[in-house]
């Protein structure tokens, strides 16, 4: 049979297939191959009855996240607050680059709009991101229909109101997340269930920390691939290896001049690019010293 792992707990994998859930285990041969089944995996499995089946094969994954380990994610809701903490386009672009890199569709959600005197400025920012092709939502009402038929994760820095949002749309998940942050015990992670939750005709999972985010962006090789509007404009660059910084005949610089690429996005592209270059230099120096 074929199905999808929707929950893992204490060595058991719960596989959803044909509207039923089967309790399965992974055979020892996965361990030998260094493979671990994760929540989100599409699998072949055997199940004589519902009590215990075996996973036979794990299908190729389109992407994966490490903490918690979940795979084959369709989209991520990036929660950014309008105020407290202040909206931060640089941080947002970091999230977007990382998600593009992992082939996870970003949905941008702005919280705490009620703290603003006027949302005029936020509307301008929203327009810029919508022009790139991103969903940029300013209310829960706009967000909910986007969850249908998708596997969604939620991410955002501390204080943006992630638990408030999850509390409303997935109380079960919010509870789980709260328990973890209250316990302070890192060891608890090992026994914690990883699970998808059914909400609004879709499935959601939480994504707590993104501490490695900075590092990941700093190591992304083809940065221009992860800025959709830069990727598009780069087809008109004279040189194939154009970095869109100083080269003549650059399609990206042209699009920037015409206002087709937003200055803020281009500035962040330049900043991430220099971070990658600095990292490479540090790395080369370390190698030479050895
Ligand atoms: Zn260029």
């Amino acid at each position: 049979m074929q199905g999808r792992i929707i929950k893992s707990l204490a060595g058991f994998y719960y596989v959803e297939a044909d509207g039923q859930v089967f309790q399965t285990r992974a055979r020892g041969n996965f361990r030998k191959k260094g493979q671990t089944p994760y929540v989100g995996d599409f699998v072949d499995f055997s199940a004589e009855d519902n009590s215990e089946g075996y996973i036979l094969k794990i299908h190729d994954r389109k992407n994966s996240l490490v903490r918690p380990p979940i795979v084959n994610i369709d989209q991520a809701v990036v929660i950014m607050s309008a105020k407290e903490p202040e909206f931060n386009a640089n941080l947002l672009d970091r999230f977007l680059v990382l998600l593009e890199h992992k082939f996870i569709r970003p949905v941008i959600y702005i919280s705490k709009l009620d703290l603003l005197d006027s949302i005029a400025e936020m509307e301008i920012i929203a327009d810029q991101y919508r022009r790139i092709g991103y969903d940029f939502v300013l209310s829960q009402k706009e967000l909910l229909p986007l969850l249908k038929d998708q596997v969604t994760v939620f991410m955002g820095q501390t204080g943006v109101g992630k638990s408030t949002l999850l509390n409303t749309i997935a109380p079960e998940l919010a509870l789980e997340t709260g328990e973890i942050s209250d316990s302070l015990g890192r060891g608890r992670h090992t026994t914690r269930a990883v699970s998808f939750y059914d909400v609004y005709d879709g499935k959601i999972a939480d994504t707590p920390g993104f501490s490695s985010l900075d590092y990941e962006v700093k190591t992304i090789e083809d940065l221009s691939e992860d800025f959709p509007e830069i990727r598009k404009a780069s087809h008109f660059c004279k040189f194939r290896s154009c970095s869109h910084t100083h080269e003549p005949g650059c399609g990206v610089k042209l699009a920037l001049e015409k206002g087709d690429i937003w200055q803020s996005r281009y500035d962040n592209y330049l900043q991430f690019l220099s971070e990658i270059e600095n990292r490479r230099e540090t790395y080369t120096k370390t190698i030479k010293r050895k």
Side-chain angles (χ1 to χ4, degrees), residues 233-234 236-239 241-245 247-253:
S234 70
F236 301 99
C237 293
K238 192 173 162 193
F239 301 106
S241 61
C242 188
S243 71
H244 325 304
T245 52
E247 297 88 343
C250 173
V252 173
K253 293 284 277 249

Side-chain angles (χ1 to χ4, degrees), residues 137-156:
V137 302
L138 300 171
S139 73
Q140 261 184 50
K141 208 175 126 200
E142 281 176 88
L143 177 66
L144 298 180
L146 299 175
L147 303 179
K148 189 177 178 343
D149 297 330
Q150 304 285 311
V151 168
T152 307
V153 294
F154 286 76
M155 52 201 278

Side-chain angles (χ1 to χ4, degrees), residues 26 36-38 41 46 65 92 105 109 121 132-133 140 142 170 178 217 246 255-256 261 269:
T36 311
Y38 289 126
D41 264 326
S46 72
L65 291 175
L92 174 58
R105 195 179 79 90
Y109 175 84
E121 204 183 319
I132 302 166
Q140 261 184 50
E142 281 176 88
V217 172
H246 59 278
L256 183 69
I261 289 176
Y269 166 78

Side-chain angles (χ1 to χ4, degrees), residues 36-52:
T36 311
Y38 289 126
V39 170
D41 264 326
F42 292 101
V43 295
D44 293 351
F45 69 105
S46 72
E48 280 73 46
D49 55 70
N50 286 13
S51 66
E52 190 150 328

Side-chain angles (χ1 to χ4, degrees), residues 27-259:
R27 282 229 159 102
N29 55 348
F30 283 113
R31 218 167 305 135
K32 271 180 232 147
K33 283 189 276 184
Q35 280 187 322
T36 311
Y38 289 126
V39 170
D41 264 326
F42 292 101
V43 295
D44 293 351
F45 69 105
S46 72
E48 280 73 46
D49 55 70
N50 286 13
S51 66
E52 190 150 328
Y54 281 98
I55 292 174
L56 304 170
K57 187 188 168 195
I58 302 169
H59 292 245
D60 289 343
R61 296 165 180 153
K62 73 169 171 182
N63 53 45
S64 57
L65 291 175
V66 183
R67 261 171 310 193
I70 25 175
V71 300
N72 298 321
I73 301 133
D74 297 315
Q75 64 183 7
V77 175
V78 179
I79 309 165
M80 299 291 296
S81 54
K83 222 178 164 178
E84 298 173 17
E86 206 77 22
F87 175 79
N88 182 337
N90 187 279
L91 183 66
L92 174 58
D93 288 344
R94 267 174 212 276
F95 277 122
L96 297 180
V97 164
L98 180 67
L99 293 170
E100 292 282 349
H101 197 67
K102 288 187 178 285
F103 302 103
I104 299 173
R105 195 179 79 90
V107 173
I108 305 155
Y109 175 84
I110 304 298
S111 64
K112 302 191 183 180
L113 277 170
D114 53 319
L115 297 183
L116 296 179
D117 297 328
S118 147
I119 67 159
E121 204 183 319
M122 198 48 81
E123 295 274 16
I124 293 168
I125 295 169
D127 274 346
Q128 293 292 347
Y129 282 95
R130 284 174 189 148
R131 277 177 62 195
I132 302 166
Y134 291 124
D135 278 308
F136 195 108
V137 302
L138 300 171
S139 73
Q140 261 184 50
K141 208 175 126 200
E142 281 176 88
L143 177 66
L144 298 180
L146 299 175
L147 303 179
K148 189 177 178 343
D149 297 330
Q150 304 285 311
V151 168
T152 307
V153 294
F154 286 76
M155 52 201 278
Q157 58 172 336
T158 321
V160 294
K162 189 168 80 171
S163 20
T164 313
L165 178 67
L166 287 175
N167 245 322
T168 336
I169 62 179
E172 210 183 339
L173 173 58
L175 188 72
E176 184 100 359
T177 318
E179 275 172 13
I180 294 298
S181 48
D182 290 345
S183 78
L184 294 170
R186 287 278 158 96
R188 280 193 57 177
H189 278 277
T190 47
T191 53
R192 187 194 161 192
V194 179
S195 184
F196 282 160
Y197 297 86
D198 289 316
V199 287
Y200 298 95
D201 296 327
K203 293 187 189 306
I204 69 167
D206 184 29
T207 314
F210 249 78
S211 49
S212 62
L213 187 71
D214 253 1
Y215 176 79
E216 293 218 29
V217 172
K218 278 176 192 157
T219 54
I220 285 174
E221 280 301 317
D222 271 328
L223 186 66
S224 59
E225 286 295 303
D226 300 314
F227 281 79
E229 74 278 42
I230 290 179
R231 179 174 63 218
K232 218 166 103 191
S234 70
H235 294 144
F236 301 99
C237 293
K238 192 173 162 193
F239 301 106
R240 233 187 127 202
S241 61
C242 188
S243 71
H244 325 304
T245 52
H246 59 278
E247 297 88 343
C250 173
V252 173
K253 293 284 277 249
L254 187 68
L256 183 69
E257 278 163 31
K258 288 200 311 199

